[in-house]
Amino acid sequence: MKMASGVERTFLRSMALTVSGASLVLASAEESFWPSGLTPLVVLIAHFVVDRWKRFRLTVRWANVSGVVAFVAMAVEFREGDLLGKLLSGAHLLVYMTWVVLLLQKGIRQFWWLAALSVLQVSVASVLTNNPSFGASLTVMLLLMIWTLAVFTLFRAQLRLSESSETVEDSLNADDRHGPAESGISVRHGLQLDSDEPWIGWRFRGITGFTFIASLLVGIVAFAVFPRFWVRETLGALPSVTRGLVHQTGFTETVQLGEIGQIMKSDQRVLQFEITRIDNGAAVAPDELAQALKLDELCFRGNALGRYYGGRWSSGSSQARSVGDLELRRPFETDPRRSDFRIRITQDPPIATFAFAPMPANNVVQREARGEVAMRRLSYSLIHRVRQEKHRSEPLTYEVWCAAAPPAQQRHSPRPLRPGVQDLFSRAFQAARRAELEDARAWCLTRGIQAALPDLSRVAAELCTDDGQRVSDRDCVDRVDRYLAASGRFSYSLTATIEDASRDPIEDFLINRRTGHCEYFASAAALMLQAVGVPARVVNGYKGCEINSVTGRWEVKQKHAHTWVEAYVGRQWETLDPTPAAARDEGVSQPRHFEWWKDLRAAMGDGWFQMVQKMSLQQQEAFVRPWLDFFSELFQTIREQGLWASLKMFCQEVILQPRKWVSWQTGVVTFVLLLIPGIVLQRRPDRALAELFRRLLHWLRPLDRQQRTVVRFYENFCGLCARHGLTFPNHQTAQENARLAVQHFYPRLPTDQDQSLPRRIADAFNMVRFGDVVMSPEDIAAVRSDVKRFGEILAQHAQ
C-alpha cells in the first residue's frame, strides 16, 4: 500500500483532533459523558480500523439505516424532553451523524461534513454553558479549526497534483483532474517551488498563527461592539444548576446526616468577600470582624434546623407561628450609623435559597437589582428572593452591615441586641419576646426525643442534674459544650463510619464510636439540650476563609463548611460550637496541591463573568463611546482647522503631557500615521515612476519609434495569415512563421518575388526587434509596401 504523505498524515491527525475537541467541548457544556464523550473513542477506532487498516467501513445502505436510527432516537428524545431537552436532542443528533460519517470511507465531501458538524457542536455548547473554561476551550478550538482548514487546503492542492494517497478522493473536483502535473514542480502559498521543499514549513505555520491571532482580535471586537441576544435566557436554568443545588448539600430545608461531610472534601469556592468600615472605608481583616462579633473565627451563617427524626434534620418552619416578631415588622436597620462594618459578598452559582453572611446583620442590600435578600422571622436565616430563575446560575453580589457586639454581651448572638429603653417597656416588644419563646419551644424541641433516643437522653440528664435537681439552662449549655468539645472523650474525623447500624446515627456517635465531624458534634449537642428541655437548633454555614493569592480577595470554599448550635437561653439565642476546634482547624488547613493554579482559575472565572457573561448593552456602550467621541472630535477639529494644523496641535499636546504618551488615542494616531506610508511603500511607487520614465524615454527615442512601426507591420502580417486560415504557434520564431506561410500559401504566390514577401517582412522584424538596426524611411516604406502587397494577393485569391 502506498505510504501517506506528510501533508496527508498531518491533515488526518488535525481532523481527528478537531472532531474530538468539539465533542469534548459539547460534553463539558452538557455535563454528561453520553453521547458526545464517546466521540474520541469512535475517532480512534475509525482512524485505525477504517482509514489505515481498512478492516471495516459502513456501506451507503447501512449509513442510511444508521442515519434513520439517529433521527428516530432524536425524535423520541425531542418528544419526551422539556425545552432544554429538545435542544439537547438536536445536539445528540449531531453527535450520532458524526459517528456515521467517521465510519464511512472518507473523501473530500466527508471531511467537509466532519468540519461542519464540529462547528455546530461547538455552537450548541455555547448555548448550554456559562463556565469560564468554555472561553479557553473556544480559543483552542479556533486555533485548531484554522490550522485544520489551512492544512485541508494544502491537502486538496496535493490531491490535484496527483501526489497524495490512493484512499482519499477529491470528489468535489473530479472534472479538474487533467492528469499528472510536471514532476519537480509544486505550489505553496501561491508560489511555484521545487518539490523538495516542505509544504508545511515555518512560513505556513506563521501565516496560520497570524490568522488565528487576527481572528481572535476580530472576534473580541465584534463581541464588545455588536449587540447580542442571550439564548440561555429563553431556556431557563440548566440541569447543571439544579444538580449544583443538590451538590451544595446541607443548605436545604432538610439535611441528612453526613451530607456536610461530603462537601468538606472539596476546594470549590462558595463565595468571596471584602470587609470595610462604614465610617472611613478602611479595610478590615476577617479576624478583626470575628473578634468584634464575639467569635473565635468568622462564620457565614446559612440555614437553621430545629427538628430531628431518623438521622434527618428539618427546619420545621411550617409548624411555626406567623405573628408577632420584630423581624416581621422591621426586618433590617437601614441607618448606617447603627452599623460598624460593611461586608461585600459575591456568592458563586448556583444560587440556592440561603444567603450566607456573618450574623447578626443589621441590614442586607442586594446591589444588582435582581431581587432582594430577606430574613426569616424565626430562624434569622437570610434567603434570596430572585426575580428570575436564570439569575440563579450567575454570581450574586450583596452587602451585609454588621455592628460590633456590645461590651456587656458575653456570647455571640445571631440577632442584634440593641433594644432601646422605650423598647424594654413596650407592650409590642414584650409580646414579641413571648411569641419568640413559644415558637422556640414549638420549633426547636423534638417531640418524643426521650423515647426515640433513650441513651442520648440518659447522658444529657446525667450531665444536667446535680443531687437529683436539674441545673439551669445556662449550666446545661455549658456542660454539654464542655462534654463534647473539651472532655477528651471525642475526636474529630471526616472518615468515621457507623458501628451499630441498629442505633440512631447520633446515639451511635455518642455511645459507640465517639468520632465524627462537626455535623455529629452539633447534632449531638442540640439533641442533648432538647432532651433536657432547652430549645436548640443546628446551623449550617461556613467557618473560616483564606485569601486568593491572585486577586487578594478573601474566599470561602466548600471545605470550610461547618455546623454549630444555637440554644435559646435567657430569652435570646446564643451560639456554641461543640466541635473540637484544634482538630477541625487542622483538617481544614491541610496543604492543598496547586493552590496557585486554583487561585488563578478562580480569578479567570471572575473575569470571564464580568467581561463576557455580564456584558450588557450599557457596558458595550461604555466601551465604544470613548472611541466614537474621539473620532467625532477629531473629524470636527480637522474640518475646522485642517489636517495639518490638527495633527500639529495633537503632537504638541502629546509632547507637553507625558501622561498621554501611553494612551489609546496616541496609539490610534500612531497606527494611522504608520499605516499610510506602509501602504504607499507596499505599492512600490519607485518602481511605477521608473517604469513610466522608461516608457517615456523609449517613446522619444527614434529607434523605439521604428521598432514599434516594424512590429506593427509584422503583427498585421500575422493577422492577415490568421484571417485566411493560418494561425502561427506561439513558440515559433518570425523566420519559422515566414517559411510556414510560404508553404501554406504557395499556390497563391506564383512568382519568386511574391514568395519572398513573408521572408522580407520577418527579416525586417528581426533586425529591428533583436538587432537594434536603425532603418531608413525608405526601408520602412518598403516593409509597408510588402505587407500591403501580401494582403492584396491573399484578398484576390479569396474572391
Side-chain angles (χ1 to χ4, degrees):
M1 183 177 64
K2 184 178 178 179
M3 295 297 293
S5 66
V7 174
E8 180 180 355
R9 289 194 300 270
T10 303
F11 166 66
L12 293 178
R13 293 169 184 171
S14 301
M15 182 60 72
L17 288 176
T18 300
V19 175
S20 301
S23 64
L24 292 178
V25 170
L26 178 59
S28 176
E30 189 181 351
E31 295 189 4
S32 175
F33 183 77
W34 173 265
S36 53
L38 293 176
T39 301
L41 179 61
V42 179
V43 170
L44 189 64
I45 294 174
H47 179 73
F48 287 99
V49 178
V50 178
D51 299 331
R52 293 190 58 180
W53 300 338
K54 304 183 185 308
R55 301 290 178 83
F56 171 82
R57 68 175 182 178
L58 279 180
T59 63
V60 176
R61 176 182 299 177
W62 284 107
N64 293 333
V65 172
S66 301
V68 172
V69 173
F71 272 98
V72 171
M74 184 272 293
V76 173
E77 188 176 358
F78 182 87
R79 180 178 180 182
E80 297 179 354
D82 54 6
L83 181 60
L84 182 60
K86 297 181 188 302
L87 175 64
L88 292 178
S89 66
H92 296 165
L93 177 63
L94 297 176
V95 176
Y96 302 147
M97 299 305 295
T98 301
W99 294 355
V100 173
V101 177
L102 284 171
L103 297 178
L104 287 169
Q105 181 180 3
K106 297 174 192 62
I108 296 301
R109 293 182 184 272
Q110 285 70 33
F111 287 128
W112 276 120
W113 272 108
L114 290 176
L117 289 170
S118 299
V119 173
L120 290 175
Q121 290 183 57
V122 175
S123 301
V124 174
S126 66
V127 180
L128 296 177
T129 184
N130 56 8
N131 195 300
S133 61
F134 176 75
S137 302
L138 195 61
T139 304
V140 174
M141 287 302 303
L142 175 63
L143 175 59
L144 189 57
M145 288 182 175
I146 290 177
W147 168 265
T148 302
L149 292 177
V151 178
F152 196 8
T153 303
L154 291 184
F155 180 53
R156 293 192 64 191
Q158 192 179 63
L159 284 178
R160 294 184 182 182
L161 293 173
S162 301
E163 297 176 358
S164 188
S165 73
E166 59 187 11
T167 59
V168 179
E169 178 186 359
D170 192 353
S171 57
L172 296 180
N173 293 278
D175 296 336
D176 294 338
R177 305 280 301 271
H178 299 297
E182 297 183 7
S183 61
I185 297 178
S186 61
V187 177
R188 181 163 66 96
H189 312 308
L191 301 177
Q192 180 175 305
L193 302 175
D194 294 337
S195 59
D196 57 347
E197 291 196 15
W199 285 47
I200 303 179
W202 65 267
R203 189 176 180 185
F204 176 80
R205 296 185 177 93
I207 293 175
T208 305
F210 175 79
T211 304
F212 162 70
I213 295 174
S215 302
L216 189 61
L217 293 177
V218 170
I220 292 174
V221 172
F223 178 85
V225 173
F226 294 101
R228 62 200 160 275
F229 172 70
W230 290 106
V231 182
R232 292 186 68 252
E233 295 183 2
T234 64
L235 299 177
L238 298 179
S240 59
V241 177
T242 306
R243 289 194 293 269
L245 299 179
V246 177
H247 291 165
Q248 283 193 347
T249 52
F251 304 109
T252 54
E253 300 294 349
T254 60
V255 176
Q256 182 71 35
L257 282 176
E259 291 181 343
I260 291 291
Q262 297 176 14
I263 67 174
M264 292 179 66
K265 301 177 182 179
S266 171
D267 267 346
Q268 181 179 349
R269 191 181 67 184
V270 177
L271 57 89
Q272 51 184 330
F273 66 94
E274 297 173 341
I275 309 173
T276 56
R277 289 192 173 274
I278 291 182
D279 54 356
N280 56 17
V284 177
D287 291 341
E288 182 180 349
L289 177 61
Q291 184 178 3
L293 298 180
K294 300 292 195 268
L295 290 169
D296 59 338
E297 194 172 5
L298 187 61
C299 295
F300 287 80
R301 194 176 185 274
N303 191 19
L305 307 106
R307 295 205 166 193
Y308 178 84
Y309 178 77
R312 179 177 294 273
W313 284 97
S314 62
S315 62
S317 58
S318 60
Q319 305 292 332
R321 296 164 55 97
S322 58
V323 295
D325 196 1
L326 285 177
E327 277 72 23
L328 182 64
R329 180 167 53 88
R330 189 186 59 186
F332 294 120
E333 173 61 63
T334 58
D335 187 357
R337 294 174 297 180
R338 300 288 298 269
S339 302
D340 301 302
F341 304 97
R342 177 186 289 109
I343 305 99
R344 185 177 179 86
I345 302 171
T346 300
Q347 187 171 332
D348 289 347
I351 305 299
T353 303
F354 300 100
F356 302 101
M359 300 293 281
N362 286 349
N363 192 14
V364 182
V365 183
Q366 225 275 40
R367 292 296 186 186
E368 299 184 358
R370 291 190 282 164
E372 62 177 352
V373 178
M375 178 182 285
R376 284 187 171 174
R377 185 178 63 85
L378 296 176
S379 65
Y380 308 153
S381 298
L382 299 177
I383 59 173
H384 289 292
R385 290 178 176 173
V386 182
R387 290 195 177 96
Q388 300 182 27
E389 288 299 316
K390 70 182 182 67
H391 293 316
R392 295 192 180 275
S393 61
E394 303 173 355
L396 201 59
T397 301
Y398 51 95
E399 287 184 2
V400 179
W401 299 356
C402 293
Q409 181 180 331
Q410 299 300 320
R411 286 178 176 265
H412 175 79
S413 172
R415 172 184 174 178
L417 296 177
R418 287 186 176 179
V421 177
Q422 67 277 12
D423 292 334
L424 294 176
F425 300 97
S426 169
R427 183 175 301 177
F429 179 80
Q430 297 299 330
R433 296 295 291 266
R434 288 193 299 271
E436 187 173 27
L437 175 60
E438 295 176 7
D439 288 333
R441 290 174 176 173
W443 179 38
C444 298
L445 289 176
T446 302
R447 298 178 181 178
I449 190 173
Q450 289 79 8
L453 304 172
D455 292 334
L456 180 145
S457 301
R458 174 181 54 80
V459 173
E462 292 174 356
L463 283 175
C464 298
T465 302
D466 284 342
D467 298 331
Q469 297 292 327
R470 180 184 175 280
V471 298
S472 65
D473 290 352
R474 167 67 62 195
D475 290 337
C476 286
V477 171
D478 293 338
R479 292 186 182 190
V480 169
D481 189 15
R482 288 195 301 269
Y483 178 75
L484 293 172
S487 65
R489 295 183 175 91
F490 300 88
S491 61
Y492 182 88
S493 174
L494 287 174
T495 58
T497 58
I498 295 177
E499 293 187 5
D500 187 356
S502 62
R503 282 180 177 268
D504 184 90
I506 299 302
E507 280 199 337
D508 182 68
F509 160 77
L510 191 66
I511 305 300
N512 295 331
R513 69 175 189 268
R514 296 192 175 188
T515 181
H517 52 77
C518 59
E519 200 173 13
Y520 289 94
F521 282 93
S523 298
L527 291 175
M528 291 172 70
L529 291 174
Q530 290 186 13
V532 295
V534 179
R537 59 196 182 193
V538 296
V539 178
N540 294 324
Y542 296 94
K543 183 178 182 180
C545 58
E546 60 187 44
I547 194 169
N548 187 301
S549 58
V550 177
T551 63
R553 299 189 68 182
W554 293 96
E555 296 182 344
V556 175
K557 300 183 177 180
Q558 286 193 356
K559 67 180 182 180
H560 296 112
H562 191 54
T563 302
W564 59 91
V565 180
E566 290 176 356
Y568 195 79
V569 182
R571 293 199 171 187
Q572 68 182 35
W573 292 99
E574 295 183 355
T575 299
L576 65 146
D577 191 353
T579 304
R584 188 259 175 189
D585 295 343
E586 182 180 356
V588 172
S589 61
Q590 288 182 354
R592 309 280 180 169
H593 299 291
F594 302 106
E595 282 291 335
W596 64 271
W597 166 248
K598 295 174 182 177
D599 292 344
L600 179 60
R601 185 176 61 181
M604 293 174 61
D606 297 338
W608 174 265
F609 174 76
Q610 293 294 333
M611 294 185 292
V612 178
Q613 293 177 235
K614 202 177 177 181
M615 178 71 74
S616 62
L617 185 60
Q618 291 76 15
Q619 289 174 310
Q620 287 180 286
E621 184 178 358
F623 175 80
V624 178
R625 178 55 57 187
W627 295 80
L628 297 179
D629 293 342
F630 171 74
F631 286 111
S632 177
E633 181 181 354
L634 180 62
F635 176 76
Q636 185 68 21
T637 304
I638 293 175
R639 189 173 64 176
E640 294 176 356
Q641 302 182 11
L643 177 61
W644 177 250
S646 302
L647 184 61
K648 183 178 179 180
M649 182 177 63
F650 178 80
C651 293
Q652 291 175 350
E653 291 180 358
V654 172
I655 294 174
L656 297 177
Q657 302 181 31
R659 63 183 180 83
K660 288 189 176 183
W661 292 357
V662 181
S663 64
W664 67 268
Q665 293 94 337
T666 305
V668 169
V669 175
T670 304
F671 175 77
V672 173
L673 293 179
L674 293 178
L675 180 63
I676 295 174
I679 295 175
V680 173
L681 292 176
Q682 185 185 21
R683 305 300 299 177
R684 297 302 301 267
D686 55 331
R687 292 184 178 180
L689 291 176
E691 179 66 19
L692 180 61
F693 184 71
R694 184 183 63 82
R695 291 183 178 182
L696 181 61
L697 290 179
H698 286 179
W699 180 264
L700 295 176
R701 290 174 57 186
L703 179 62
D704 293 332
R705 291 200 302 270
Q706 293 179 1
Q707 181 181 14
R708 287 192 296 272
T709 302
V710 175
V711 168
R712 184 170 65 252
F713 291 155
Y714 176 76
E715 291 176 351
N716 292 339
F717 164 74
C718 294
L720 290 171
C721 293
R723 284 196 297 271
H724 289 83
L726 175 61
T727 302
F728 298 128
N730 294 329
H731 60 273
Q732 291 191 164
T733 64
Q735 292 292 344
E736 291 174 338
N737 291 338
R739 287 194 294 270
L740 184 61
V742 172
Q743 295 174 5
H744 185 78
F745 298 113
Y746 183 79
R748 307 181 188 182
L749 304 173
T751 66
D752 293 339
Q753 186 70 20
D754 294 337
Q755 293 176 2
S756 65
L757 289 175
R759 179 180 56 80
R760 293 202 301 267
I761 297 172
D763 290 341
F765 172 78
N766 286 334
M767 286 189 299
V768 174
R769 183 69 176 82
F770 302 107
D772 291 337
V773 175
V774 179
M775 300 183 68
S776 64
E778 292 78 9
D779 295 336
I780 295 177
V783 174
R784 181 187 301 111
S785 177
D786 290 341
V787 173
K788 182 179 180 181
R789 172 61 181 167
F790 184 77
E792 292 174 351
I793 293 173
L794 296 181
Q796 290 175 0
H797 286 81
Q799 295 176 356

